[in-house]
Amino acid sequence: MYGDMASQKDTQGRNSVIDLRSDTVTRPVPAMRAAMAEAEVGDDVYGEDPSVAALEKRVASLLGKEAALFVPSGTQSNLLALLTHCARGEEIITGREYHVCKYEAGGSSALGGAILTPLDGDANGGLTAQAVAAAIKDPDDIHFPLSRLVSLENTWNGRVQDQAEIVRIAEVARENGLAVHLDGARLMNASVASGLAPADLAAPFDTVSLCLSKGLGAPVGSVLSGPVDFIHRARRIRKMLGGGMRQAGILAAGGLYALDHHVERLAEDHANARALAEGLSGIEGLEADYPETGTNMVFLRLSPDRFGAFKAAMTEAGVLMGGRAPLIRLVTHLDVSANDVGRIVEAAAGAFGARR
Ligand SMILES: *Cc1c(COP(=O)(O)O)cnc(C)c1O
């Protein structure tokens, strides 16, 4: 149903539908497609694809890590990290609402026998060093699994995490012999919003997963980075999971283009999200959530009857939205303009009556 809607064009060939479900819906721009078409390629399972090698080197250096591995998805990137860090029966301490815990089909437990111990995050989604310390098990007590890894997420629900607390969590983890992984699917959003360099945000972590197919606008792919020996072991598991891709340089070229051209512009997505939140909050009965730590996501909490009405009005106006009742999620990205934001606010005002 969305497929048909999402492909509608107006008379100028522009999208008549504004798709705010996720930043994964971006389509490669013509220059990215050209870079992909011209990519030098080889068989990456033989280690012979120069474009994949260039992308891996580029991301490793961007994040201040020794090595990196190009993989088909963020889910596989996190799964490789978790399975490489943890053997069967070992424990991963993470956030209850984090992607690795909630939205990856339990892969690390189902496929790797690792135990996920979820902690509640604070309002911004962050864990505390104190809670992590309390969750780490005594390795001499045979009642417990061996605590092996702390897995964090930045951004979470579009919110930049508190870097000082992350540093404290990493210290607590290391003191107890645990490794620390970051699901940095949208780490570049965090970097642009906070002004902190990607390598500084990544510094407390042993391993970092970065998505190229979210706000960065590449069609496919994520990159896992970390120490050389770790990435070597992860490469074997990638093969085991069927993630060894052959002339993957076609895809890697899209990722390289994204890192060259689509990082600084994330600030536009953040400005659009802020404007959208302000515009919607100016409408009677609507209260949009866009915190100080916000990046490219806006949340709206609506009563059940208003939820349906709002969704219907937006669908009528050609706006697609994400989230599950009672929460609506609006994500800005490469294919959403400031004009589109105006159109959405107008449609919402039309449906919900006068502005305050
Ligand atoms: C999208 C996402 C992933 C997974 O990426 P896929 O490519 O969709 O598998 C992991 N973590 C977070 C926080 C994400 O938003």
Side-chain angles (χ1 to χ4, degrees):
M1 136 203 183
Y2 287 143
D4 287 348
M5 243 184 117
S7 61
Q8 282 174 21
K9 305 272 185 188
D10 67 13
T11 48
Q12 275 96 45
R14 288 180 309 222
N15 295 318
S16 59
V17 165
I18 307 170
D19 194 343
L20 299 176
R21 287 171 298 162
S22 176
D23 47 9
T24 55
V25 301
T26 56
R27 274 159 283 197
V29 298
M32 179 184 281
R33 284 180 187 261
M36 295 172 73
E38 287 155 18
E40 264 190 73
V41 297
D43 189 326
D44 184 54
V45 175
Y46 291 161
E48 292 172 0
D49 189 301
S51 301
V52 171
L55 175 66
E56 291 176 346
K57 202 170 160 204
R58 174 80 182 271
V59 173
S61 129
L62 179 71
L63 300 181
K65 304 299 178 207
E66 286 177 359
L69 184 64
F70 183 51
V71 297
S73 69
T75 299
Q76 185 172 112
S77 185
N78 283 328
L79 179 60
L80 288 178
L82 272 38
L83 298 190
T84 307
H85 282 296
C86 301
R88 297 190 72 79
E90 294 183 343
E91 182 190 42
I92 301 157
I93 296 166
T94 189
R96 192 178 305 285
E97 300 293 323
Y98 289 0
H99 207 276
V100 295
C101 189
K102 201 171 175 185
Y103 299 113
E104 298 184 5
S108 56
S109 300
L111 304 176
I115 292 105
L116 284 163
T117 294
L119 305 181
D120 291 322
D122 62 20
N124 201 53
L127 308 185
T128 64
Q130 197 183 11
V132 169
I136 296 173
K137 313 295 184 290
D138 174 0
D140 294 325
D141 190 328
I142 59 160
H143 292 88
F144 299 134
L146 279 169
S147 304
R148 185 65 75 207
L149 181 70
V150 176
S151 186
L152 303 183
E153 185 171 319
N154 194 12
T155 62
W156 173 81
N157 270 4
R159 293 161 183 246
V160 179
Q161 298 299 294
D162 177 355
Q163 191 67 10
E165 195 62 25
I166 285 176
V167 168
R168 286 191 284 273
I169 291 171
E171 275 168 13
V172 162
R174 292 230 163 73
E175 282 164 13
N176 290 280
L178 279 70
V180 197
H181 172 69
L182 176 65
D183 176 357
R186 297 186 178 85
L187 190 67
M188 300 315 290
N189 293 83
S191 171
V192 167
S194 67
L196 295 172
D200 291 337
L201 293 173
F205 298 94
D206 298 283
T207 53
V208 177
S209 172
L210 174 74
C211 285
L212 302 167
S213 60
K214 300 270 165 90
L216 293 177
V220 176
S222 285
V223 181
L224 176 64
S225 61
V228 168
D229 62 327
F230 184 95
I231 293 300
H232 182 71
R233 288 189 288 137
R235 196 178 288 277
R236 183 185 306 274
I237 300 177
R238 184 185 70 173
K239 191 78 186 84
M240 189 191 291
L241 295 175
M245 301 182 286
R246 302 296 177 173
Q247 284 72 38
I250 300 262
L251 301 174
L256 282 165
Y257 181 93
L259 291 172
D260 283 337
H261 301 280
H262 290 168
V263 173
E264 274 151 45
R265 63 151 307 286
L266 291 172
E268 293 171 36
D269 298 344
H270 303 169
N272 283 338
R274 182 183 297 273
L276 180 59
E278 280 167 6
L280 292 176
S281 294
I283 295 167
E284 192 63 44
L286 293 184
E287 205 60 67
D289 184 21
Y290 188 83
E292 266 305 298
T293 54
T295 55
N296 69 334
M297 293 185 193
V298 175
F299 289 87
L300 269 180
R301 191 176 291 275
L302 294 172
S303 62
D305 54 320
R306 281 184 161 251
F307 186 90
F310 188 75
K311 227 163 170 168
M314 286 294 123
T315 305
E316 182 66 31
V319 180
L320 300 180
M321 305 178 308
R324 295 175 177 86
L327 216 54
I328 282 172
R329 186 180 82 157
L330 308 163
V331 187
T332 55
H333 51 73
L334 195 58
D335 294 343
V336 177
S337 67
N339 258 347
D340 292 338
V341 168
R343 210 177 109 191
I344 297 162
V345 173
E346 228 165 82
F352 275 80
R355 295 183 189 212
R356 276 200 272 256

